[in-house]
Amino acid sequence: MHEGDTIVALSSGSLPSGVAVIRMSGPAVPELLHRHAGGVPEARRLTLMRIGAQTELDSGLVAYFPAPRSFTGEECAELQVHGSPAGVRAILRALTAEEGVRLAEAGEFTRRAFENGKLDLTEVEGLGDFIEAETENQRRQALARYEGGLSQRIDAWRETLLDLRAEIEARLDFSDEGDVEEALPERFGATLTALKADLAEALASLTRGRIVREGVRVALAGPPNVGKSSILNALAKSDVAIVTDEAGTTRDVREVPVDLGGQLVILVDLAGLRVTDSKAEAEGVRRARAEIARADLVLWLMAPDVVTDEQPPEVAAPIWRVATKADLGHPSQQADLAVSVTEQGGLDALAERMASFSGALSGQGEPALLSHERDRSAVMAAEAAIARGEQRLDTPELAAESLREASQALERLVGRLDAERVLDRLFTSFCIGK
């Protein structure tokens, strides 16, 4: 990336399409509009203009956003043209032929928005989550983060920490002043306790946030030939897994996302659990056990035509015993549910129960405040630093340093400290033109 360049890119979806949006950002945007659209239109008003300097390339709606009131904080414009692959290529070639103008790199528009103070890192992550959202719950949670829900809470925490630090540092720097009492005010302890409780409450929302963002992992487990892949295909409403009557057909982990009641559920098809001499199948069994251990829910499948001594493993996640192939005979009395893929029996009940379970895990109220690993690390670091400060109140210098460390942990979360450590990885996950 070169500071001072003007960047351009196709910002809409793949071509051909009804409409294509070409985005521009940088100091040369007004000149580009003069040269290639015949002038600079009124700010923030769509204007029909001819696109092309010497030869008309297209006609379309042009929007101009002058700095600093734009997405990136720079001079910006968007060309809404016809979604012709040839037409878009011709426009991009004409624009990038100008000196100081180049194609944008992945995430570069959003990175400029961050660097110009239009977004902080938590809002950038919220935008990334919003772009990738597949379910209603994901959309709501990502939008709340993008619109500054977490940023506002962090600002409140930082303001509280600044007030607490000021109380301590006043006694360090102005202890000889008559209007500075030696003892900390009574409200100091209560404020510190309330701040710790607020951070703990935010941390408690992390599991819900992770569930919404990444999905509920449901492991389809059991011995070979109990119908794991058939259940997967039925719930996904697609033939995504190979189904045969040969034991050991599934040897690898297959993940299939489905939307159940607005919640993302990741169905994980696994190798059948059994002792085997096949190295390939044994590796599949090892991976299956690892997936079962990290699942949020385990469906232990049993079939009347499969005799086995294999028992459900001991894991932290709930285990539902599901009797498959119910059309072949009476389900086991140990089963919680019975289904038949052949007769389509019990599948709706299973899906509804999983949707209810997923909704309970993700919560039905306000979107979770925390959802990323960075959130957990930063808030836990701040919480630990505050606890150290509370223990060091008899040594004001050390208490003030601990509270300063808590502030820094929160500042790193929004990108005010050490931002470069996460920028490259974060922005390269964005699509070109965003």
Side-chain angles (χ1 to χ4, degrees), residues 7 52 108 130 140 149-150 163 172 180-181 186 189 259 279 317 322 329 331 364 378 385 425:
I7 55 174
E108 192 169 1
F130 187 72
R140 291 177 60 246
L150 178 55
D163 291 342
L172 292 174
V180 177
E181 299 180 3
E186 290 185 6
D259 184 341
K279 291 183 179 181
V322 179
Q364 301 296 333
R425 178 173 55 84

Side-chain angles (χ1 to χ4, degrees), residues 367-379:
L369 194 63
L370 308 183
S371 57
H372 289 249
E373 176 60 24
R374 275 197 339 109
D375 304 343
R376 185 194 65 80
S377 298
V379 175

Side-chain angles (χ1 to χ4, degrees), residues 115-283:
E115 292 173 342
N116 292 324
K118 307 297 287 187
L119 299 172
D120 66 33
L121 278 185
T122 64
E123 292 165 340
V124 168
E125 289 167 329
L127 177 57
D129 291 346
F130 187 72
I131 292 171
E132 296 179 357
E134 297 178 353
T135 68
E136 176 62 16
N137 287 353
Q138 288 178 321
R139 182 198 65 79
R140 291 177 60 246
Q141 179 170 285
L143 188 60
R145 188 182 183 102
Y146 172 49
E147 292 183 339
L150 178 55
S151 302
Q152 293 166 16
R153 288 287 290 275
I154 292 172
D155 285 342
W157 294 335
R158 291 180 62 249
E159 287 297 319
T160 300
L161 283 167
L162 286 173
D163 291 342
L164 295 172
R165 289 167 58 189
E167 292 284 2
I168 296 176
E169 289 167 4
R171 284 152 180 79
L172 292 174
D173 297 336
F174 306 104
S175 58
D176 55 342
E177 299 289 338
D179 58 346
V180 177
E181 299 180 3
E182 182 176 348
L184 291 168
E186 290 185 6
R187 69 177 185 279
F188 187 94
T191 302
L192 198 60
T193 299
L195 177 58
K196 286 171 56 183
D198 207 13
L199 291 172
E201 180 184 350
L203 280 171
S205 73
L206 181 65
T207 297
R208 288 194 296 113
R210 193 270 303 172
I211 287 291
V212 169
R213 192 170 69 86
E214 299 179 4
V216 177
R217 296 187 67 83
V218 178
L220 305 180
N225 272 1
V226 292
K228 296 182 293 297
S229 296
S230 296
I231 293 289
L232 175 75
N233 289 343
L235 292 174
K237 295 180 171 58
S238 177
D239 292 333
V240 293
I242 298 173
V243 177
T244 74
D245 58 3
E246 180 182 345
T249 299
T250 301
R251 297 190 175 187
D252 208 346
V253 175
R254 182 188 300 274
E255 298 182 2
V256 177
V258 296
D259 184 341
L260 294 181
Q263 171 60 47
L264 178 63
V265 174
I266 308 298
L267 300 175
V268 188
D269 187 21
L270 306 172
L273 302 186
R274 68 172 180 177
V275 178
T276 177
D277 294 329
S278 167
K279 291 183 179 181
E281 188 179 354
E283 176 60 20

Side-chain angles (χ1 to χ4, degrees), residues 68 79 107 126 128 205 263 280 291 305 336 340 359 394 403 405 413 422 428:
L79 311 179
S205 73
Q263 171 60 47
E291 285 295 330
D305 60 341
D336 301 304
S340 169
D394 55 343
L403 296 184
E405 291 173 352
L413 182 53
V422 295
T428 52

